[in-house]
Amino acid sequence: MSAEASAEEADAVLQQALTTTKFWEAQFGPSSTCTACGASLTDTAICHPGNRSRPPLAPKELAGTFGDAFYGPVLSLRAAADDALEASLGPVNAVLDFGPSQTVIEEACSSIAQHMPSAERGSVGEQVGNCLMIEFRVPSEIAAAGISESNRTIAFPWGCGIVPLPTAMPIYVILSRRSSAVWAWLPTADVVLPRLEASSPYSAQLLV
């Protein structure tokens, strides 16, 4: 019908379809909805504010090299000054943000895994006992990637979803209380990376 209609009629049919299917609400509603974690709903994989000024674990407990057989050792987390955690991932070399609005959850590992997409759960759900999930955020000033919230710049490829603006890129660190296994979940990159090697504070090398 639209193929034989005038431009005005075709446009009216399209607008009616978009309105009937609530396309605009579904497409732009989540990105314009702010969560309790201070991020848009689109860029929030999980939101359970921990109301903590410091992480519940010392950074040295989470530090190490993360990767897998496909990606290799791509992420380094290391302890920094003032109980902070520093990350190196491609062009990212930064002290991670943590505050009261960041997610902190401790519950059965199988329950923690349920918060994650099924394809990204890895071996988290197979762990016995409790797991602790802590959310950190990468500051949105990544000069090597051409990304700057203050300068309002973004660049391919890191700016195409991996580093959402104005929301900062999340890194969820998950630790098994019983086995001490640790994973880094990067929801904007659709990957869960197990810790390959633990490291002592201040000893990890940058990965570039």
Side-chain angles (χ1 to χ4, degrees):
M1 175 180 133
S2 297
E4 300 176 358
S6 65
E8 292 77 9
E9 291 172 328
D11 184 64
V13 170
L14 176 60
Q15 290 298 332
Q16 182 180 10
L18 294 174
T19 300
T20 301
T21 59
K22 298 185 178 180
F23 172 82
W24 299 119
E25 292 89 340
Q27 183 73 11
F28 299 108
S31 62
S32 60
T33 301
C34 189
T35 69
C37 292
S40 73
L41 189 60
T42 301
D43 302 323
T44 303
I46 177 175
C47 179
H48 288 275
N51 297 315
R52 294 171 175 265
S53 58
R54 293 179 180 272
L57 285 179
K60 66 181 181 180
E61 302 295 331
L62 308 174
T65 302
F66 295 76
D68 57 24
F70 182 80
Y71 292 101
V74 294
L75 170 66
S76 173
L77 297 179
R78 62 190 180 280
D82 300 323
D83 290 332
L85 192 64
E86 193 167 3
S88 297
L89 173 69
V92 174
N93 291 289
V95 174
L96 301 178
D97 289 335
F98 179 85
S101 63
Q102 261 64 66
T103 289
V104 176
I105 304 175
E106 180 165 3
E107 54 191 21
C109 296
S110 56
S111 297
I112 289 284
Q114 294 300 314
H115 295 295
M116 307 162 64
S118 58
E120 299 175 28
R121 292 172 186 169
S123 57
V124 175
E126 301 171 4
Q127 303 297 307
V128 177
N130 278 9
C131 280
L132 178 64
M133 174 187 280
I134 309 170
E135 176 193 8
F136 297 89
R137 293 268 174 175
V138 177
S140 299
E141 300 295 329
I142 309 172
I147 295 172
S148 172
E149 182 177 358
S150 60
N151 295 330
R152 298 183 179 182
T153 59
I154 200 163
F156 178 86
W158 287 78
C160 297
I162 299 177
V163 181
L165 291 179
T167 302
M169 174 184 175
I171 297 179
Y172 295 85
V173 183
I174 304 165
L175 177 138
S176 168
R177 289 290 197 182
R178 179 167 296 189
S179 69
S180 296
V182 181
W183 301 263
W185 176 32
L186 284 63
T188 56
D190 301 320
V191 66
V192 173
L193 302 171
R195 185 166 68 177
L196 304 176
E197 182 179 3
S199 59
S200 299
Y202 311 105
S203 65
Q205 299 297 313
L206 299 183
L207 297 180
V208 295

